[in-house]
Amino acid sequence: MHIIVVGAGRIGRHVIEFATKEGHDVFVIEQDKKLAERISKSFDCKVINEDATTGEALNQAGAENADALITTTHDDAVNMLVMMVAKELEIKTLITSVAEESHMHLFDKMGVGTVESPDRLNAQHLYHAVKNPSVKNFLDLGEGVEIIEFKVKKSAKVTGMSIEELDKPKLLPEDARIVVIRRDENFIVPGHNTKLDEGDVVAVLARKEKIDQINALFEEQET
């Protein structure tokens, strides 16, 4: 894929790293000269030290052949301007990070894919880690629904139990579902007889208000 990344800061650097590792043709537009030079030396990509809000910068990045453009700056106004130019140049896929949650609907109206502020997402992860120590990861699906990952611990209530056993005494809330189990390097779509082993990472689809109840099942039990 031909990918244009606008902004080579903390977020942009990670995007560049992932994209170049997978062998994509990556073009980076970064206005800060020192940062542009560092990225050029660190990654196998073409770096353009220009203002990305100009059509010229996007043209230098090969906009006519681009499969996707990703903006990663912390300034929503800059991201918006870049997206407006990119739409005129008919770049196929447009994705942006959004600093202010209230601005997300503006990008949605433009048909731009959005990712919530990484800082806010980090804050959510930290809060989950404090409130529910058994949580490994989570994904907020909106409308009060989340997918939460829990690690099965040695003395947890669920350890050694099958999906059927979890359902019979209604240990899991009725509107919660175990959707996938990661065991070592394998992913398992569970059936009734699938048992939860120590060390498994279990993804649970549930409503937010049920998370505390589910978390208790995965906590270490006092002996």
Side-chain angles (χ1 to χ4, degrees):
M1 291 178 66
H2 181 144
I3 301 173
I4 301 173
V5 180
V6 176
R10 182 165 50 90
I11 303 167
R13 184 183 178 91
H14 287 303
V15 174
I16 296 162
E17 180 182 2
F18 293 140
T20 53
K21 275 185 177 179
E22 294 198 356
H24 297 296
D25 294 324
V26 180
F27 291 74
V28 180
I29 304 175
E30 172 54 56
Q31 194 168 11
D32 184 292
K33 186 176 181 179
K34 289 184 178 179
L35 187 53
E37 289 175 349
R38 284 203 298 270
I39 292 298
S40 181
K41 291 177 182 177
S42 300
F43 300 103
D44 182 16
C45 61
K46 168 76 172 178
V47 180
I48 299 155
N49 179 212
E50 297 285 352
D51 178 358
T53 61
T54 69
E56 178 58 29
L58 291 176
N59 284 327
Q60 287 184 49
E64 71 279 5
N65 298 315
D67 296 294
L69 181 143
I70 305 171
T71 57
T72 68
T73 82
H74 288 289
D75 190 329
D76 287 343
V78 170
N79 293 337
M80 181 74 72
L81 285 171
V82 173
M83 288 302 171
M84 291 173 67
V85 176
K87 284 186 76 69
E88 290 182 359
L89 295 172
E90 299 183 345
I91 296 177
K92 300 171 187 175
T93 301
L94 304 175
I95 306 292
T96 186
S97 63
V98 182
E100 293 293 333
E101 188 178 7
S102 60
H103 294 161
M104 293 187 76
H105 75 283
L106 299 174
F107 290 100
D108 289 340
K109 285 182 178 179
M110 292 177 64
V112 174
T114 57
V115 176
E116 192 175 355
S117 163
D119 293 332
R120 188 171 187 274
L121 291 175
N122 281 340
Q124 285 181 297
H125 277 280
L126 291 170
Y127 176 70
H128 268 288
V130 169
K131 189 178 180 185
N132 301 304
S134 297
V135 171
K136 290 278 294 177
N137 206 346
F138 83 100
L139 175 63
D140 190 338
L141 300 178
E143 303 297 330
V145 178
E146 295 181 344
I147 293 179
I148 311 291
E149 284 189 344
F150 297 92
K151 187 166 186 177
V152 179
K153 299 175 182 177
K154 184 176 182 179
S155 65
K157 184 176 288 189
V158 299
T159 306
M161 296 185 71
S162 68
I163 302 300
E164 186 176 26
E165 288 171 329
L166 280 170
D167 286 341
K168 279 184 177 177
K170 299 301 180 187
L171 289 176
L172 277 178
E174 288 187 4
D175 52 358
R177 295 287 183 274
I178 294 177
V179 292
V180 70
I181 299 169
R182 177 157 50 88
R183 182 172 294 162
D184 298 323
E185 300 300 318
N186 300 313
F187 287 87
I188 301 168
V189 178
H192 288 300
N193 297 323
T194 306
K195 290 190 175 183
L196 304 185
D197 294 343
E198 179 187 353
D200 285 352
V201 176
V202 179
V204 183
L205 177 69
R207 301 199 66 81
K208 288 182 180 180
E209 62 267 21
K210 302 294 185 179
I211 300 303
D212 288 346
Q213 178 183 343
I214 298 167
N215 182 71
L217 300 175
F218 288 87
E219 289 183 338
E220 295 274 13
Q221 301 295 303
E222 294 184 4
T223 56

